[in-house]
Amino acid sequence: MSEVVLSVEKLMMHFGGIKALNDVSLQVKRNSIFALIGPNGAGKTTVFNCLTGFYKASGGKIEVNVRGEQTNVIKLLGESFKPTDFVSPKSFASRLYYKMFGGTHLVNRAGLARTFQNIRLFKEMSVLENLLVAQHMWVNRSLLAGILNTKGYRKAESDALDHAFYWLEVVDLVDCANRLAGELSYGQQRRLEIARAMCTRPQIICLDEPAAGLNPQETEALSAMIRLLRDEHDLTVVLIEHDMGMVMSISDHIVVLDHGIVIAEGGPDDIRNDPKVIAAYLGADEEEVV
Ligand SMILES: Nc1ncnc2c1ncn2[C@@H]1O[C@H](COP(=O)(O)OP(=O)(O)OP(=O)(O)O)[C@@H](O)[C@H]1O
Ligand SMILES: [Mg+2]
């Protein structure tokens, strides 16, 4: 239970002269809910962008340790993208993903998926298509198998559909399967992003402000879903969230960032009463402290 699945050591991220992250270290335990909190501009999304390969970190080490394999994320991003097969549907989907998500697509293969603070869906595709394209790296089909419509090809297609509908059910979007993703309400789009991330079959899912814009009932349902991911799907959840009620009720471990530096870490009770944390939030926005 205490195995570390994600290890970050002395992570640095510079934007020109700005040090957005300065020696950030954290360890995420397998099958836990880990929260990264801090005032606006603290560097939370930048940590996610580095972890998931959206940015290449300026320094430090990020190691993903799942399915018995260790992946050095920063090294992985240094290797160039080489699609092996130029004509298969799998390769096409890979390119589409690369265009939309950059290196995130590569880190995804190592077992880490994410959602975005500013939702990124294929808005012109249907809800179902968003979930099918997310499975391209698991559905190992060649163009030839497609043309010949082999048994293996049909099985892969039907498995992908089953998987998509399984997650549509979990996020309560079955009725919207054929609607365009861009037509969904904000809350539905957030849920679809989670389903899409799950369709890549990750071991770790990073959620960037999943409760933003949700009403209290939706937030409650989201908390239940996050617990379900941990408890029934053996997942590790890394969560960025400003809703402190939610963070304190579901997190196993919390790390607090301020100005790109880790200022505190511990369980919800430690964090709630930590004077450094209270001061950081008060300095930023009094209403954020609950
Ligand atoms: N691509 C970029 N170019 C330049 N500066 C950036 C870039 N991305 C982030 N920053 C800067 O890094 C700092 C941290 O930003 P980040 O988005 O990580 O904060 P955050 O903690 O996620 O905040 P919020 O709670 O508002 O989402 C900010 O000062 C931001 O302006
Ligand atoms: Mg952010």
Side-chain angles (χ1 to χ4, degrees):
M1 280 296 274
S2 62
E3 182 196 343
V4 172
V5 286
L6 178 63
S7 164
V8 175
E9 276 174 47
K10 295 185 180 292
L11 190 65
M12 307 289 288
M13 186 73 214
H14 302 168
F15 296 108
I18 301 169
K19 274 190 184 171
L21 301 178
N22 196 359
D23 269 352
V24 171
S25 296
L26 49 93
Q27 308 254 302
V28 180
K29 287 185 181 164
R30 181 182 160 82
N31 203 215
S32 67
I33 296 174
F34 177 103
L36 187 59
I37 66 169
N40 292 117
K44 305 176 297 295
T45 298
T46 304
V47 170
F48 267 24
N49 284 338
C50 294
L51 293 183
T52 59
F54 203 70
Y55 295 158
K56 187 168 180 229
S58 320
K61 199 170 164 193
I62 303 169
E63 212 164 68
V64 175
N65 182 11
V66 296
R67 302 188 194 112
E69 274 178 39
Q70 278 195 346
T71 306
N72 177 330
V73 170
I74 298 176
K75 185 161 168 268
L76 178 79
L77 297 171
E79 294 160 9
S80 59
F81 177 59
K82 305 189 243 4
T84 46
D85 178 354
F86 285 89
V87 288
S88 76
K90 182 177 173 181
S91 161
F92 174 73
S94 264
R95 283 166 179 273
L96 197 63
Y97 245 60
Y98 195 73
K99 209 164 172 202
M100 181 88 154
F101 305 116
T104 298
H105 166 67
L106 300 175
V107 180
N108 214 187
R109 291 181 191 171
L112 197 147
R114 75 173 291 182
T115 63
F116 290 85
Q117 185 170 356
N118 308 312
I119 299 169
R120 281 181 175 241
L121 289 165
F122 296 108
K123 294 200 162 131
E124 304 300 324
M125 286 187 191
S126 75
V127 165
L128 186 58
E129 283 164 348
N130 268 274
L131 301 188
L132 292 177
V133 82
Q135 296 182 67
H136 65 274
M137 58 189 127
W138 294 95
V139 183
N140 196 3
R141 49 200 182 180
S142 72
L143 191 62
L144 191 61
I147 291 168
L148 298 175
N149 198 20
T150 61
K151 201 170 160 198
Y153 184 84
R154 289 198 304 272
K155 168 96 173 65
E157 291 282 287
S158 100
D159 286 353
L161 266 177
D162 287 350
H163 201 67
F165 272 100
Y166 175 82
W167 285 106
L168 281 180
E169 189 101 42
V170 174
V171 300
D172 195 19
L173 285 177
V174 174
D175 294 347
C176 304
N178 293 316
R179 289 181 58 194
L180 287 184
E183 286 176 355
L184 299 184
S185 72
Y186 191 69
Q188 289 172 324
Q189 291 197 12
R190 285 217 171 272
R191 299 209 298 279
L192 177 56
E193 265 215 325
I194 295 176
R196 185 185 57 192
M198 287 312 303
C199 276
T200 67
R201 302 176 200 206
Q203 304 280 308
I204 306 170
I205 184 168
C206 299
L207 305 174
D208 196 345
E209 297 199 27
L214 303 191
N215 65 37
Q217 286 80 13
E218 288 173 321
T219 304
E220 195 52 49
L222 176 70
S223 296
M225 193 204 303
I226 292 174
R227 286 196 183 98
L228 177 109
L229 294 179
R230 177 193 58 189
D231 299 337
E232 315 244 321
H233 294 276
D234 199 27
L235 223 77
T236 306
V237 181
V238 187
L239 173 74
I240 294 176
E241 191 44 71
H242 282 293
D243 183 327
M244 286 305 135
M246 176 181 175
V247 167
M248 294 300 167
S249 72
I250 68 170
S251 306
D252 298 307
H253 192 78
I254 302 172
V255 162
V256 190
L257 270 187
D258 190 25
H259 296 109
I261 295 169
V262 175
I263 58 162
E265 74 171 298
D269 287 338
D270 307 319
I271 298 304
R272 200 183 272 120
N273 302 314
D274 190 317
K276 288 197 293 297
V277 178
I278 294 166
Y281 272 95
L282 287 173
D285 181 356
E286 222 159 308
E287 282 157 25
E288 281 174 348
V289 183
V290 178

